[in-house]
Amino acid sequence: MSMESKKLLARGHLIDSGILTAILNLVVEEGGDYQIGHFNIGKTNDEESELEIEVTHRSEERLGRLLEKLARHGCYEKAAPEGVFKASPADRCAPDDFYSSTNHRSEVFSAGAWHPVQDQRMDAVIVAENGSYFCRKLRDLRNGDSVLCSGESVRVFPPARERHADVFSFMANSVSSERNVDTVVESIATDLKTVRASGGKIVWVAGPVVVHTGGSQALCRLIQEGFVQGILSGNALAVHDIERVLFGTSLGVDLESGRPTHDGHRNHMRAINAVNRHGSIHAAVAAGKIRQGIMYELCAANIPYCLAGSIRDDGPLPDTITDMIEAQEAYRKIIENASVVIMLSTMLHSIGTGNMLPSWVKTICVDINPAVVTKLGDRGSGQAIGIVSDVGLFLRALADKVGP
């Protein structure tokens, strides 16, 4: 039986990041074989390793499928072919053999050279436009767009594991409830102060649990101290925050005593009604109706936020974006060029945000349920580190660590 083979290259911190092991295991698991032709190991922390490997399989089709999977680990053909681009047949439609992007930094081989791909994100197509290359969602394609249809002409660069002593170097991507949260929080606080000092961008994805667990004032302190450059959430966070400010309750439960209040079930609707009278949260703040709380601090500091609607929403607040495509675009703009994204106990918004992030953006997911962090990784956001903790306790500890 004749065997088909291809020579591949891979560069990066291949050993300590586990990429080499992943490459070799994948070849074997897919029924192929390999021969390492050259392996130059980096000798310093900054020096990358370089691997040359010949991969074989018993059919061209099986080899092609294996090469597609290896490309996601950063393998690319030693003699890369020119990228094949085909015209989109209609709006929102790509050619059947389109290349589907990853969230890793990528380059395309075209016109005899490698070119960087811009707007990197997972589950998109790559479009050539005026000599540049962009990731674009299917829904944004227009008839005649030049779409990449050759994965063999793409090389991918998975992020290497950090080597300096911050939270992203000593924490693995696995989820554990046995980590010392105080130690983790201290390391995150140090890293956030470094990001703030360098002018970096910290974006938070927050669920209403922030209010339920008593984390509102801590998050307000973080906003005041300059550790928040954007917040992504749903209608519920704003409603419960404003309910707490106006009535001292969250879903009718007194946040001081933890007990339901008389007729308190009306309070979240009263909060929505109060904002509706002014037309928006910003207008309610300007009129003095809302004088404290998360939404007040965001408005006072002119920090961008997006409230994305859902089928469950009461009201919703006039600021809530109920068109999901519009909400996704608003999310994308806020997280653009983010240095760190911190996700606080909201599965759907966390996964949705993770799907928009390049893999080099540092991502922290805090939830009392380990399954939330696991799902985030399963959906492709492998860079996310997980902290199993009560969100209120985490926020209060973090605010104390970064405070003046």
Short mmCIF file of all heavy atoms in Angstrom, two decimals, residues 29-53:
data_model
loop_
_atom_site.label_atom_id
_atom_site.label_comp_id
_atom_site.label_asym_id
_atom_site.label_seq_id
_atom_site.Cartn_x
_atom_site.Cartn_y
_atom_site.Cartn_z
N GLU A 29 -2.71 8.92 17.24
CA GLU A 29 -4.15 8.71 17.45
C GLU A 29 -4.93 8.67 16.14
O GLU A 29 -5.93 7.96 16.03
CB GLU A 29 -4.71 9.82 18.35
CG GLU A 29 -4.24 9.73 19.79
CD GLU A 29 -4.56 11.00 20.58
OE1 GLU A 29 -5.19 11.92 19.98
OE2 GLU A 29 -4.19 11.08 21.76
N GLU A 30 -4.46 9.41 15.14
CA GLU A 30 -5.15 9.45 13.85
C GLU A 30 -4.70 8.34 12.91
O GLU A 30 -5.10 8.31 11.74
CB GLU A 30 -4.92 10.82 13.19
CG GLU A 30 -5.57 11.98 13.93
CD GLU A 30 -7.08 11.91 13.90
OE1 GLU A 30 -7.64 11.60 12.84
OE2 GLU A 30 -7.70 12.15 14.96
N GLY A 31 -3.87 7.43 13.40
CA GLY A 31 -3.45 6.29 12.59
C GLY A 31 -2.32 6.58 11.63
O GLY A 31 -2.06 5.80 10.71
N GLY A 32 -1.64 7.70 11.82
CA GLY A 32 -0.52 8.05 10.96
C GLY A 32 0.81 7.66 11.57
O GLY A 32 0.88 6.99 12.61
N ASP A 33 1.87 8.08 10.90
CA ASP A 33 3.22 7.82 11.40
C ASP A 33 4.04 9.09 11.18
O ASP A 33 3.65 9.98 10.42
CB ASP A 33 3.84 6.65 10.66
CG ASP A 33 5.04 6.06 11.41
OD1 ASP A 33 5.34 6.56 12.53
OD2 ASP A 33 5.68 5.15 10.88
N TYR A 34 5.18 9.16 11.86
CA TYR A 34 6.00 10.36 11.73
C TYR A 34 7.47 10.00 11.81
O TYR A 34 7.86 8.96 12.37
CB TYR A 34 5.66 11.39 12.80
CG TYR A 34 5.96 10.95 14.22
CD1 TYR A 34 7.22 11.11 14.79
CD2 TYR A 34 4.97 10.37 15.01
CE1 TYR A 34 7.50 10.70 16.08
CE2 TYR A 34 5.22 9.96 16.30
CZ TYR A 34 6.48 10.12 16.84
OH TYR A 34 6.75 9.71 18.11
N GLN A 35 8.28 10.88 11.26
CA GLN A 35 9.73 10.78 11.35
C GLN A 35 10.28 12.17 11.60
O GLN A 35 10.04 13.09 10.80
CB GLN A 35 10.33 10.20 10.05
CG GLN A 35 11.83 10.01 10.07
CD GLN A 35 12.27 8.87 10.99
OE1 GLN A 35 11.63 7.83 11.03
NE2 GLN A 35 13.34 9.07 11.73
N ILE A 36 10.95 12.35 12.74
CA ILE A 36 11.52 13.66 13.06
C ILE A 36 12.82 13.83 12.30
O ILE A 36 13.77 13.06 12.49
CB ILE A 36 11.74 13.81 14.57
CG1 ILE A 36 10.40 13.79 15.31
CG2 ILE A 36 12.48 15.13 14.88
CD1 ILE A 36 10.50 13.88 16.82
N GLY A 37 12.84 14.82 11.41
CA GLY A 37 14.04 15.05 10.62
C GLY A 37 15.02 15.98 11.29
O GLY A 37 16.23 15.84 11.14
N HIS A 38 14.50 16.94 12.04
CA HIS A 38 15.37 17.93 12.68
C HIS A 38 14.63 18.53 13.87
O HIS A 38 13.44 18.83 13.77
CB HIS A 38 15.73 19.03 11.67
CG HIS A 38 16.50 20.17 12.27
ND1 HIS A 38 17.83 20.08 12.62
CD2 HIS A 38 16.11 21.44 12.59
CE1 HIS A 38 18.23 21.24 13.13
NE2 HIS A 38 17.21 22.07 13.12
N PHE A 39 15.34 18.67 14.99
CA PHE A 39 14.74 19.29 16.16
C PHE A 39 15.80 20.12 16.86
O PHE A 39 16.71 19.59 17.50
CB PHE A 39 14.17 18.22 17.10
CG PHE A 39 13.34 18.80 18.23
CD1 PHE A 39 12.66 19.99 18.09
CD2 PHE A 39 13.24 18.12 19.44
CE1 PHE A 39 11.88 20.51 19.11
CE2 PHE A 39 12.47 18.63 20.47
CZ PHE A 39 11.79 19.83 20.31
N ASN A 40 15.66 21.43 16.73
CA ASN A 40 16.59 22.35 17.36
C ASN A 40 15.94 22.93 18.61
O ASN A 40 14.94 23.64 18.52
CB ASN A 40 16.96 23.48 16.39
CG ASN A 40 17.99 24.42 16.98
OD1 ASN A 40 18.84 24.01 17.76
ND2 ASN A 40 17.90 25.69 16.62
N ILE A 41 16.46 22.58 19.78
CA ILE A 41 15.85 22.98 21.05
C ILE A 41 16.40 24.32 21.50
O ILE A 41 17.61 24.53 21.56
CB ILE A 41 16.12 21.91 22.14
CG1 ILE A 41 15.57 20.56 21.71
CG2 ILE A 41 15.51 22.34 23.46
CD1 ILE A 41 15.89 19.43 22.67
N GLY A 42 15.49 25.25 21.81
CA GLY A 42 15.91 26.55 22.32
C GLY A 42 16.64 26.40 23.65
O GLY A 42 16.23 25.65 24.53
N LYS A 43 17.73 27.14 23.82
CA LYS A 43 18.58 26.97 25.00
C LYS A 43 18.31 27.99 26.09
O LYS A 43 18.77 27.84 27.21
CB LYS A 43 20.05 27.04 24.57
CG LYS A 43 20.45 25.92 23.62
CD LYS A 43 21.91 26.05 23.20
CE LYS A 43 22.31 24.94 22.24
NZ LYS A 43 23.71 25.06 21.79
N THR A 44 17.57 29.05 25.77
CA THR A 44 17.25 30.06 26.76
C THR A 44 15.74 30.23 26.84
O THR A 44 14.99 29.71 26.01
CB THR A 44 17.89 31.41 26.40
OG1 THR A 44 17.26 31.93 25.22
CG2 THR A 44 19.39 31.27 26.16
N ASN A 45 15.30 30.97 27.85
CA ASN A 45 13.87 31.19 28.03
C ASN A 45 13.23 31.91 26.83
O ASN A 45 12.05 31.73 26.55
CB ASN A 45 13.61 32.01 29.29
CG ASN A 45 13.77 31.17 30.55
OD1 ASN A 45 13.90 29.96 30.47
ND2 ASN A 45 13.77 31.83 31.69
N ASP A 46 14.01 32.74 26.16
CA ASP A 46 13.47 33.52 25.05
C ASP A 46 13.67 32.85 23.69
O ASP A 46 13.06 33.26 22.71
CB ASP A 46 14.12 34.91 25.02
CG ASP A 46 13.81 35.70 26.27
OD1 ASP A 46 12.68 35.57 26.78
OD2 ASP A 46 14.69 36.44 26.74
N GLU A 47 14.52 31.84 23.63
CA GLU A 47 14.83 31.20 22.35
C GLU A 47 13.82 30.10 22.04
O GLU A 47 13.56 29.22 22.86
CB GLU A 47 16.24 30.61 22.40
CG GLU A 47 16.74 30.10 21.06
CD GLU A 47 18.17 29.61 21.13
OE1 GLU A 47 18.83 29.89 22.16
OE2 GLU A 47 18.62 28.93 20.20
N GLU A 48 13.23 30.14 20.84
CA GLU A 48 12.24 29.16 20.44
C GLU A 48 12.91 27.88 19.91
O GLU A 48 14.05 27.90 19.47
CB GLU A 48 11.33 29.73 19.34
CG GLU A 48 10.48 30.90 19.81
CD GLU A 48 9.55 31.39 18.72
OE1 GLU A 48 9.86 31.16 17.53
OE2 GLU A 48 8.52 31.99 19.05
N SER A 49 12.16 26.80 19.99
CA SER A 49 12.59 25.54 19.38
C SER A 49 12.03 25.45 17.98
O SER A 49 11.04 26.11 17.63
CB SER A 49 12.11 24.35 20.22
OG SER A 49 12.62 24.40 21.53
N GLU A 50 12.66 24.62 17.17
CA GLU A 50 12.20 24.42 15.79
C GLU A 50 12.16 22.94 15.48
O GLU A 50 13.14 22.22 15.68
CB GLU A 50 13.10 25.14 14.79
CG GLU A 50 12.63 25.00 13.34
CD GLU A 50 13.50 25.78 12.38
OE1 GLU A 50 13.36 27.01 12.34
OE2 GLU A 50 14.31 25.14 11.68
N LEU A 51 11.02 22.48 14.99
CA LEU A 51 10.81 21.06 14.68
C LEU A 51 10.53 20.89 13.19
O LEU A 51 9.74 21.63 12.61
CB LEU A 51 9.60 20.54 15.47
CG LEU A 51 9.08 19.15 15.10
CD1 LEU A 51 10.08 18.06 15.51
CD2 LEU A 51 7.72 18.91 15.74
N GLU A 52 11.23 19.93 12.59
CA GLU A 52 10.92 19.50 11.23
C GLU A 52 10.50 18.05 11.31
O GLU A 52 11.23 17.20 11.84
CB GLU A 52 12.11 19.66 10.30
CG GLU A 52 11.82 19.23 8.87
CD GLU A 52 13.02 19.39 7.94
OE1 GLU A 52 13.72 20.42 8.07
OE2 GLU A 52 13.24 18.48 7.12
N ILE A 53 9.31 17.73 10.82
CA ILE A 53 8.77 16.39 10.96
C ILE A 53 8.08 15.97 9.66
O ILE A 53 7.41 16.79 9.01
CB ILE A 53 7.76 16.34 12.14
CG1 ILE A 53 7.22 14.93 12.37
CG2 ILE A 53 6.63 17.33 11.95
CD1 ILE A 53 6.38 14.79 13.62
#
